[in-house]
Amino acid sequence: MRRRGRAGRIARHVLLACTAAFALAPFVWMISLSIKPPQEIFQADFHLWPTQFYGFENYRIAFTAAPMFTFLLNGLMVCAAIFTLQLLVCVPCAYALAKLRFHGRDTLFAAVLVGLLVPPQALAIPHFVLLYVFGLLDTYAALILPWAISAFGIFLLRQFFRAIPDDVIHAARLDGLGEFEIIWRIMVPMSAPALAAFGIFSVVAHWNDLFWPLIAVRSADISTPALGILLFRDDEAGQFLGPLMAGAAIIVAPLLLAFLIAQRRFIDGLAVTTMK
Amino acid sequence: MADIELHAIEKRYGDTRVVNGVSLTIRDGEFLTLVGPSGCGKSTLLRIIAGLEAQDGGEVRVGGTCVDDRRPKERDVAMVFQSYALYPHLSVFDNIALPLRTRRLSFAERLPLVGRAFPRRRGIERAIRAEVEQAAAMLDVAHLLHRKPGQLSGGQRQRVALGRAMVRHPAVFLMDEPLSNLDAKLRVQMRAEITALHRRLGVTFIYVTHDQAEAMTMSDRVAVMMGGELLQVAPPEALYRDPQDLRVAEMIGSPKINVVSRAHWAALGGAEPGGLHAETTQLAFRPEDAAIAGPGAGTLGGSVASTENLGSDIFLNVTLTHGAGAIVVRTHPDAPRARAGDPVCVRVEHARLMQFDSQGRRRAALARVAA
Ligand SMILES: Nc1ncnc2c1ncn2[C@@H]1O[C@H](COP(=O)(O)OP(=O)(O)O)[C@@H](O)[C@H]1O
Ligand SMILES: [Mg+2]
């Protein structure tokens, strides 16, 4: 019994390790390229660590050839604004759909589900036209506003809110809290893990998004990181492959860092709500 | 405060009638228990009284004034829930303090950071702290104030929930099966504590339970509910001794009341007590109103199926002849022991025999009416 258990465990770990290696390989390769000199990048024999360490130069070029800090700052601002707006819309909507009784609630929820099925690319043209009409193209608003309402966020939070017992809300009403106070004093803290999960989805999606910024924005000074990195590609790619990879590494770094720091908190958050 | 009057309350969920024309007056300071099987609409009725749910018909009046358009927080009621419904992310202190804060601090003063700027808030917070600590001490949870509800045992959570309800001195306490998640021993202890709390506070308690023992031991009056209707409202002794409905008789008392149909009663040779009502179809008697007797006229014949010795009493489960079913007889431990399989005769005290008609309604014995 025990032996079989151990063999199974080893097999599981090998399988997981293979999958992880497969997922990480391009990433490792990117880091490796970002510290190699140009001539070494195109050598036939491949090694992970360069014979001549060129990282310093590549990263210097990445930071100086394009306004990398501006991109990062733009990315931060745009993602923060999108997530804030999404919360302002999603949380009350999800609360109403999960916990209030009113006519047409089920129809509205069905509409949210339909919204979930519509790919964002399908809405690109209507959004573009709308922004054009309001004269908002090539502004921060163009990057932010189309994402302010997230059907996914409403759906996710609504499911989570439904799991919170009605008794807690009844207790809060008897304790004298108004509906909005119930939302932000009771529902929001009690669903912190769901909000965190939604935050991860939202921030990752919009930090990495290239499709929409490419359509909505042209000026470099409001470019997000993913768009900004294209500036490298415009030059002769051969010469700039090292700095390009360095740039790519720079724009992933903040996300990685944020998750490494927040990891513990997410797990703690999950543990808190499972306690009754 | 004043009396609470429920006037023909109705509530439907979709097509199902959950509360069906309930009228009831709860006197100021009374301990009234709503007892009934699970799903009979007790919690729904409680939520209607609290204003958490709107009824489809009828009126709730407090002191003669209709309160239907008052929000829960304006009704001066507090509720203790079966699931306790504590806020898991707040400490015990903050859980108990919340109802005071929402009432005494203005919206702006309650805001997380901005609130601190108000000079008035310091003094109010100090008063709140004192009151919370006092309530916590009274309920023996003063040492737990900094903990989260998740770190407490069931009994402790129960006390915190009580503390949150009583800290703001409501005129009415509503309790929805507050003890049903506790173990048997703690339940008996908390029963006593809740009745003591009622005596000390002197306010109205409306207590919901499906446990007839809780209803019988704690209340001034018991309202028996079934299928969304009130069957009978009476003090516990009256409910036990003088049930007006067979379902009430069967729900109250443990072991259950014995029921024998009139036809079987006659076949068994049970004495016709002075005047059975014409409509009577069923006869019922409590286990303690029957006794083992020697064979003779007017006794019910049967055999002992099993015995249960509780120390103070021994209950005999007797299977009656003629397929008349089984009954329970309470005997004294000093009485001659019967063993399983023994044939016995059971004599029923006629004065205690209750008669019910085919609808389960109580029928008065003709002799007693005449007397
Ligand atoms: N929000 C609701 N929606 C639909 N049906 C409900 C709702 N709340 C309660 N019910 C139904 O009403 C009936 C009575 O419920 P409840 O008052 O909780 O009973 P009790 O507290 O006596 O066990 C049950 O059959 C229950 O399924
Ligand atoms: Mg209930």
Side-chain angles (χ1 to χ4, degrees):
Chain A
M1 247 347 257
R2 272 187 69 109
R3 281 181 75 127
R4 248 184 57 203
R6 176 183 282 180
R9 216 164 46 228
I10 291 172
R12 262 203 306 279
H13 278 91
V14 169
L15 190 72
L16 286 174
C18 288
T19 326
F22 191 72
L24 281 177
F27 187 75
V28 173
W29 199 357
M30 173 186 83
I31 301 285
S32 164
L33 288 181
S34 77
I35 53 173
K36 282 180 182 174
Q39 61 275 20
E40 223 178 301
I41 289 176
F42 292 106
Q43 256 165 21
D45 58 330
F46 173 78
H47 28 79
L48 222 48
W49 196 254
T51 37
Q52 183 200 350
F53 184 77
Y54 204 68
F56 186 72
E57 286 78 357
N58 280 343
Y59 281 85
R60 191 183 51 78
I61 297 170
F63 271 115
T64 49
M68 192 57 84
F69 280 117
T70 312
F71 298 157
L72 289 176
L73 211 64
N74 285 340
L76 195 71
M77 241 180 56
V78 168
C79 284
I82 289 177
F83 186 51
T84 310
L85 279 180
Q86 283 178 333
L87 283 187
L88 287 179
V89 176
C90 291
V91 172
C93 284
Y95 175 71
L97 288 173
K99 289 297 179 193
L100 303 182
R101 260 179 270 154
F102 55 91
H103 284 290
R105 182 180 71 171
D106 295 343
T107 319
L108 279 178
F109 184 59
V112 171
L113 290 180
V114 171
L116 212 54
L117 299 176
V118 177
Q121 286 80 359
L123 298 176
I125 305 287
H127 280 155
F128 184 85
V129 173
L130 269 176
L131 291 168
Y132 171 76
V133 168
F134 287 102
L136 289 175
L137 282 174
D138 209 16
T139 64
Y140 284 119
L143 289 172
I144 295 165
L145 288 183
W147 307 107
I149 299 174
S150 162
F152 172 71
I154 296 175
F155 174 74
L156 182 82
L157 293 179
R158 183 256 187 192
Q159 297 307 88
F160 210 88
F161 286 172
R162 268 176 82 84
I164 294 177
D166 282 345
D167 279 356
V168 174
I169 294 165
H170 287 163
R173 287 196 188 131
L174 282 167
D175 282 349
L177 295 182
E179 295 302 305
F180 277 102
E181 260 186 309
I182 291 179
I183 291 177
W184 70 268
R185 273 188 195 275
I186 310 292
M187 302 304 270
V188 166
M190 278 181 80
S191 43
L195 293 173
F198 176 48
I200 294 172
F201 279 112
S202 168
V203 170
V204 170
H206 296 114
W207 182 270
N208 292 334
D209 189 22
L210 179 60
F211 177 78
W212 179 249
L214 207 52
I215 294 173
V217 164
R218 200 168 287 157
S219 347
D221 55 340
I222 59 169
S223 286
T224 55
L227 183 62
I229 202 142
L230 285 186
L231 294 177
F232 292 95
R233 200 205 51 182
D234 289 344
D235 297 293
E236 310 135 54
Q239 269 305 312
F240 269 106
L241 200 54
L244 178 64
M245 288 301 130
I250 290 166
I251 71 166
V252 225
L255 286 187
L256 272 182
L257 222 64
F259 289 133
L260 286 180
I261 292 168
Q263 199 179 27
R264 260 218 76 76
R265 281 202 61 90
F266 288 144
I267 294 169
D268 284 352
L270 282 170
V272 165
T273 41
T274 46
M275 277 188 311
K276 208 181 148 190
Chain B
M1 249 321 246
D3 297 359
I4 300 171
E5 289 166 65
L6 306 181
H7 186 74
I9 300 289
E10 304 215 358
K11 178 76 191 175
R12 286 182 299 272
Y13 286 117
D15 289 336
T16 44
R17 288 169 160 253
V18 175
V19 178
N20 206 349
V22 168
S23 296
L24 176 64
T25 302
I26 300 130
R27 291 189 284 267
D28 188 19
E30 187 175 27
F31 194 123
L32 181 111
T33 301
L34 272 176
V35 68
S38 195
C40 72
K42 308 180 296 287
S43 302
T44 307
L45 193 59
L46 218 52
R47 287 200 296 271
I48 290 172
I49 297 173
L52 294 166
E53 196 111 49
Q55 67 270 31
D56 296 314
E59 237 182 38
V60 181
R61 298 190 203 123
V62 176
T65 329
C66 174
V67 296
D68 290 342
D69 50 359
R70 287 197 206 156
R71 301 160 145 277
K73 74 172 210 179
E74 296 159 352
R75 293 198 184 187
D76 205 11
V77 300
M79 193 154 167
V80 178
F81 297 86
Q82 181 176 5
S83 59
Y84 314 132
L86 298 174
Y87 311 119
H89 57 291
L90 296 181
S91 68
V92 167
F93 178 87
D94 288 332
N95 263 282
I96 301 178
L98 188 70
L100 294 180
R101 288 188 174 135
T102 54
R103 275 172 174 75
R104 297 189 191 162
L105 297 169
S106 70
F107 179 79
E109 286 166 339
R110 292 207 294 273
L111 289 174
L113 291 168
V114 187
R116 273 160 217 248
F118 292 88
R120 206 173 74 97
R121 187 171 129 147
R122 286 271 301 276
I124 296 177
E125 278 289 343
R126 208 174 306 124
I128 289 176
R129 172 159 288 277
E131 283 173 57
V132 171
E133 278 167 359
Q134 190 195 349
M138 199 155 131
L139 291 163
D140 212 12
V141 290
H143 57 297
L144 305 171
L145 284 176
H146 58 279
R147 293 219 201 149
K148 294 276 172 71
Q151 300 164 305
L152 304 180
S153 71
Q156 290 168 334
R157 283 181 215 179
Q158 176 61 70
R159 287 160 190 275
V160 174
L162 274 173
R164 184 177 64 178
M166 63 181 252
V167 74
R168 62 184 164 88
H169 303 292
V172 181
F173 272 86
L174 306 175
M175 304 202 177
D176 192 354
E177 312 208 13
L179 306 186
S180 60
N181 284 338
L182 302 180
D183 61 57
K185 194 168 155 227
L186 202 53
R187 201 149 55 206
V188 173
Q189 183 193 337
M190 286 303 289
R191 260 191 223 167
E193 287 191 27
I194 289 177
T195 34
L197 191 68
H198 173 247
R199 232 170 300 139
R200 186 164 41 194
L201 301 178
V203 300
T204 313
F205 275 45
I206 305 179
Y207 186 97
V208 162
T209 179
H210 64 263
D211 179 355
Q212 58 99 16
E214 275 175 27
M216 296 297 280
T217 51
M218 299 170 79
S219 348
D220 295 327
R221 278 195 309 159
V222 180
V224 183
M225 214 174 153
M226 209 173 277
E229 290 175 37
L230 279 188
L231 297 182
Q232 188 173 353
V233 185
E237 313 78 48
L239 219 50
Y240 186 78
R241 274 289 150 220
D242 204 14
Q244 294 306 310
D245 192 295
L246 187 55
R247 290 171 290 176
V248 175
E250 287 184 323
M251 187 187 309
I252 305 295
S254 170
K256 231 166 92 171
I257 197 164
N258 299 305
V259 182
V260 178
S261 76
R262 188 174 184 172
H264 280 127
W265 184 270
L268 285 164
E272 288 268 322
L276 277 188
H277 194 282
E279 309 248 322
T280 298
T281 57
Q282 279 167 312
L283 295 152
F285 55 94
R286 299 276 175 199
E288 64 271 25
D289 296 332
I292 301 298
T299 59
L300 309 178
S303 60
V304 177
S306 60
T307 67
E308 280 173 56
N309 189 346
L310 299 186
S312 56
D313 301 298
I314 297 176
F315 289 104
L316 304 182
N317 296 307
V318 175
T319 310
L320 296 176
T321 53
H322 294 84
I327 60 170
V328 181
V329 179
R330 190 178 82 178
T331 61
H332 198 265
D334 296 338
R337 293 285 170 97
R339 257 169 299 169
D342 289 353
V344 287
C345 291
V346 178
R347 178 183 300 284
V348 180
E349 206 176 317
H350 284 163
R352 293 290 173 85
L353 202 56
M354 301 173 209
Q355 307 180 25
F356 295 94
D357 67 16
S358 57
Q359 255 90 62
R361 280 186 304 245
R362 180 77 180 279
R363 288 295 177 175
L366 291 180
R368 274 162 74 195
V369 170

